Amino acid sequence: MRLSKLLVILLVLVLGTTLAQQRPRVVIPTGSTGGVFFFYGQAIAKLLSEAGVADATAQQTGGSYDNLLLLRDRTDPASRTYYCALATTDSALVTYTGEEPRFAQRKADMQRIMFYMYPSLIHIVTTESSGIKFVGDLRGKRVSTGQPGSSTENLALLVLKGAGVDVREFAKRERLPAAESAKALSEGTIDAYFWVGGVPTASVVELAQSLTRKGDQIKLVDSPRTGPTAQLLMKEFPGIITTGVLPKSAYGTKDNVFALFTGNVFLCPASMPDDLAAAIMKAVFSNLQTLVTATAAARDTTIKNTVDLVNQKMVIPFHPGALRYLREIGAIR
């Protein structure tokens, strides 16, 4: 009797190990702490694991470009390991085409869009007491332009170029991630910083609260919807950079903010099997409320927004498995 029980236990263990080995591994590079990517990616990984779609884990990174490099270089179909990237649409575009220098020799043309996530605001964060009202006022100030090589830094430099501001005109230039930039502004070691992320970004919310306790108030600098800055960005990323108004309720600013936005997409490698891609789509869109609970920016992760992106006919193709899922639910023909 004992021997038969032992054999049963061993059989269960062997079968369990075999099934685990059969399950693919999905790694989701995210972003820096304090940014929406960090929380969004963790939530997606948890969803996929709990749905039994894959053994999924999230990995902290410097953001979009790091994520796309990992998708390109670390995906290994032979071992059923797939890196799926969270990325801004502007970074996805220039890496796909090879316009980004790090992808000039070996493009990320194997990336495929799965779904639209949410829009990201090009934040230019400062305080009411700083006296900074326009991008040109950053001259002579201590400014963080974002983590080196990040989408934030890339867009920050374009915004500055459009406004005719050279980083050499800063009193000091820092290149800090989101949470570190917010901390530096709160402590008074910088005067302003750039951050490209979803609304609300947790570190910006915390900064607003910290400044209020100190008797100051958070301020977001307007990004003119017309003029050289907007024209430059829209020329650089046609159909990707959009304009809008951020309500003052978002972060408790004194006024509404004229703003520039870029989109965010979830991408997986072309080598990912269609069945796995379709299963990822089903797991995500069957658990949207769980995703929104994890990060409020996910309220814009909708079938409609993804279909709108499909109809926009972006240069980067959609994954066939993602399209198959959209057809199965009747969202596209």
Side-chain angles (χ1 to χ4, degrees), residues 33-280:
T33 55
V36 176
F37 271 15
F38 181 75
F39 301 105
Y40 194 107
Q42 286 184 323
I44 292 288
K46 187 177 179 183
L47 280 181
L48 299 185
S49 291
E50 291 182 348
V53 171
D55 291 327
T57 56
Q59 178 180 330
Q60 183 184 341
T61 68
S64 296
Y65 289 108
D66 283 355
N67 299 349
L68 292 164
L69 282 167
L70 287 167
L71 181 152
R72 184 190 71 181
D73 299 337
R74 301 292 280 281
T75 291
D76 180 20
S79 65
R80 304 188 74 201
T81 298
Y82 305 95
Y83 278 72
C84 293
L86 282 70
T88 58
T89 43
D90 57 276
S91 61
L93 177 63
V94 295
T95 55
Y96 180 82
T97 60
E99 294 172 67
E100 159 61 34
R102 285 167 289 180
F103 295 80
Q105 298 301 317
R106 185 173 175 228
K107 301 176 186 178
D109 57 1
M110 72 289 292
Q111 68 192 30
R112 296 291 183 268
I113 297 174
M114 295 284 284
F115 57 86
Y116 179 88
M117 298 195 299
Y118 57 87
S120 271
L121 169 70
I122 302 177
H123 298 70
I124 309 174
V125 188
T126 186
T127 64
E128 282 291 342
S129 63
S130 70
I132 299 170
K133 296 181 179 179
F134 308 103
V135 177
D137 295 335
L138 296 174
R139 294 184 182 92
K141 302 295 185 180
R142 301 164 298 171
V143 182
S144 172
T145 52
Q147 206 162 350
S150 64
S151 179
T152 292
E153 183 177 63
N154 186 37
L155 289 171
L157 295 177
L158 285 170
V159 168
L160 292 166
K161 182 179 178 181
V165 178
D166 193 303
V167 294
R168 291 173 293 185
E169 297 178 272
F170 294 159
K172 179 174 73 170
R173 180 190 180 187
E174 297 282 8
R175 303 172 79 186
L176 305 172
E180 287 81 350
S181 288
K183 184 173 184 287
L185 184 60
S186 178
E187 293 176 349
T189 58
I190 62 172
D191 302 303
Y193 71 91
F194 285 84
W195 164 244
V196 177
V199 178
T201 292
S203 57
V204 181
V205 173
E206 292 166 9
L207 170 64
Q209 295 168 347
S210 171
L211 291 172
T212 299
R213 289 193 295 269
K214 295 177 180 180
D216 205 344
Q217 189 174 3
I218 192 171
K219 179 178 178 62
L220 268 67
V221 179
D222 283 330
S223 293
R225 291 179 289 178
T226 58
T229 298
Q231 289 172 9
L232 178 65
L233 285 164
M234 290 178 182
K235 181 180 179 182
E236 191 82 13
F237 304 110
I240 288 177
I241 299 296
T242 57
T243 62
V245 176
L246 181 75
K248 57 186 179 181
S249 58
Y251 291 118
T253 53
K254 186 177 178 181
D255 303 298
N256 294 338
V257 181
F258 294 117
L260 294 169
F261 295 84
T262 183
N264 294 283
V265 286
F266 188 84
L267 306 109
C268 289
S271 58
M272 174 178 280
D274 292 359
D275 286 349
L276 176 56
I280 288 173

Side-chain angles (χ1 to χ4, degrees), residues 285-304:
F285 286 102
S286 297
N287 294 280
L288 285 179
Q289 189 51 53
T290 302
L291 190 57
V292 173
T293 300
T295 175
R299 62 184 177 273
D300 289 305
T301 303
T302 64
I303 291 293
K304 180 186 181 303

Side-chain angles (χ1 to χ4, degrees), residues 10-34:
L10 286 172
L11 182 60
V12 169
L13 288 173
V14 169
L15 286 173
T17 302
T18 302
L19 288 171
Q21 289 172 344
Q22 290 176 348
R23 184 180 294 176
R25 179 171 177 250
V26 173
V27 183
I28 302 173
T30 59
S32 60
T33 55

